[in-house]
């Protein structure tokens, strides 16, 4: 895995000099909730997911009012005193809540996060969301935004299926009775949150906001602010994913790469460490139901193109990725370990 370790040293293609940039797709033609129509955006989505594993969407139907409320609440939460944030601190048994010491591939990220999922105990950890008490609106706004992301993700999932020549609802059963997706509020401060903490001894320099990684699930819907710093790796260099007003960034996850047998690509991405301005971003990770076993779809596998992966038990995969993020419990699981 030497090439992998050196990825962070690859150069950045500043301002798309190579004539390549992450596509921006107008998805206004994807009919709400049905997956019918939207032929143009479906083919653009399929092409972008194959070539980049990343694209931005506009006219996605999530209202600007809701987006603004989510941003305000996220900023207000991270502005709370550390003691109030640590009142909802994540634990090894319950991954929901606040955290400021996350590892990606065993390296510490310069960020703070708050994670929450669907209502009730979730179906992997059997654990409940932890809600901060500073503002009763926080929970309502976050739940509304999560529900809007779930609806949008289903439309995107349908487009991914149609892009593979399959019926729009082909993968839907893998997200029933309940998906295991979750929202993460990310705060990338200029000042390292652990810098002044005498009780933390293993501190080393957190050189990136998020170290390079792929997202584990099916697809990610990311809301970023206007600061920038997100980069995707393609053809040996890093490309900025620039902030675009009212757009959402979509990227393909590991499970979609496996289902599509490498037609779609789960791209490696990272976030630079902030040095001038604090940054906020809010990804929704759309993940399959707990009992899902993911393997290349028989409809995309052929004699010419046999299955490239062994089957993956989603709950096991997710659990092993979370353990790797939380602390140094060994190397994080990657789909390359399932390659045939
Ligand atoms: C992540 C991630 C990107 C961003 O949280 O997995 O890649 O822009 N975030 O914050
Ligand atoms: Ni990511």
């Amino acid at each position: 895995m030497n090439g992998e370790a050196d990825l962070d040293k690859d150069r950045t293609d500043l301002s798309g000099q190579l004539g390549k940039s992450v596509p921006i797709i107008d998805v206004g033609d994807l009919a709400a909730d049905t997956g019918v129509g939207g032929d143009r955006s479906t083919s653009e989505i399929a092409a972008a997911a194959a070539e980049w594993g990343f694209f931005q969407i506009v006219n996605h139907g999530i209202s600007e009012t809701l987006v603004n409320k989510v941003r305000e609440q996220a900023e207000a939460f991270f502005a709370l005193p550390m003691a109030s944030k640590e009142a909802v601190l994540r634990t090894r048994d319950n991954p929901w809540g606040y955290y400021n010491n996350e590892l990606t591939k065993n390296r510490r990220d310069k960020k703070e996060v708050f994670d929450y999922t669907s209502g009730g105990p979730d179906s992997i950890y059997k654990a409940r969301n932890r809600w901060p008490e500073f503002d009763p609106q926080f929970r309502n706004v976050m739940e509304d935004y999560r529900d809007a992301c779930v609806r949008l993700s289903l439309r995107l999932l349908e487009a991914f299926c149609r892009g593979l020549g399959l019926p729009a609802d082909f993968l839907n059963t893998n997200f029933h009775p309940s998906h295991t997706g979750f929202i993460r509020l990310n705060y990338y401060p200029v000042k390292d949150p652990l810098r002044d903490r005498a009780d933390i001894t293993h501190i080393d320099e957190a050189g990136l906001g998020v170290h390079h990684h792929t997202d584990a699930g099916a697809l990610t819907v990311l809301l970023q602010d206007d600061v920038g710093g997100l980069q995707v790796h393609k053809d040996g260099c890093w490309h900025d994913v620039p902030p675009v007003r009212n757009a959402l960034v979509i990227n393909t996850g590991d499970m979609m790469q496996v289902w599509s047998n490498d037609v779609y690509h789960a791209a490696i991405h990272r976030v630079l460490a902030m040095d001038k301005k604090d940054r906020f971003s809010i990804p929704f990770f759309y993940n399959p139901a707990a009992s899902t076993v993911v393997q290349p779809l028989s409809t995309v596998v052929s004699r010419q193109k046999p299955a490239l992966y062994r089957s993956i038990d989603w709950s096991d995969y997710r659990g092993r990725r979370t353990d790797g993020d939380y602390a140094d419990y060994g190397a994080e699981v990657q789909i390359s370990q399932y390659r045939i």
Side-chain angles (χ1 to χ4, degrees), residues 213 215 269 285:
H213 65 283
D215 293 347
H269 56 283
F285 302 102

Side-chain angles (χ1 to χ4, degrees), residues 54 186 210-211 213-216 220 222 230 251 267 269-271 283 285:
F54 258 82
N186 277 314
V210 189
H211 284 85
H213 65 283
T214 58
D215 293 347
T220 304
L222 175 98
L230 172 62
N251 65 278
H269 56 283
R270 68 178 183 182
V271 177
F285 302 102

Side-chain angles (χ1 to χ4, degrees), residues 18 20 30 58-59 66 82 86 93 110 124 138 151 173 178 199 201 245 295 311 318 340:
L18 301 177
K20 296 178 194 163
L30 271 186
V58 292
N59 278 324
L66 180 55
M82 192 51 91
E86 292 193 341
D93 293 339
K110 188 178 170 186
I124 295 185
F138 180 86
R151 286 192 295 273
T173 52
S178 57
D199 55 319
T201 51
R245 210 180 125 71
Q295 57 190 14
S311 54
R318 163 90 169 102
I340 293 173

Side-chain angles (χ1 to χ4, degrees), residues 68-142:
N68 288 339
K69 281 193 210 162
V70 173
R71 292 190 201 279
E72 272 166 33
Q73 289 291 341
E75 291 191 28
F77 171 74
F78 288 115
L80 293 173
M82 192 51 91
S84 311
K85 293 188 275 191
E86 292 193 341
V88 289
L89 195 64
R90 164 179 169 180
T91 53
R92 194 181 177 192
D93 293 339
N94 179 347
W96 311 120
Y98 172 74
Y99 205 52
N100 58 21
N101 195 12
E102 186 161 85
L103 306 173
T104 299
K105 299 191 190 236
N106 307 70
R107 287 180 294 185
R108 193 169 62 82
D109 297 328
K110 188 178 170 186
K111 67 174 182 189
E112 300 179 35
V113 306
F114 177 87
D115 290 348
Y116 67 99
T117 183
S118 312
D122 73 275
S123 46
I124 295 185
Y125 303 96
K126 322 280 183 228
R128 287 183 188 278
N129 289 325
R130 296 182 168 102
W131 296 109
E133 283 170 2
F134 73 105
D135 181 345
Q137 276 307 309
F138 180 86
R139 176 174 178 172
N140 295 338
V141 168
M142 293 304 160

Side-chain angles (χ1 to χ4, degrees), residues 301-306:
V301 168
S302 63
R303 192 182 305 228
Q304 292 76 31
K305 198 171 174 206

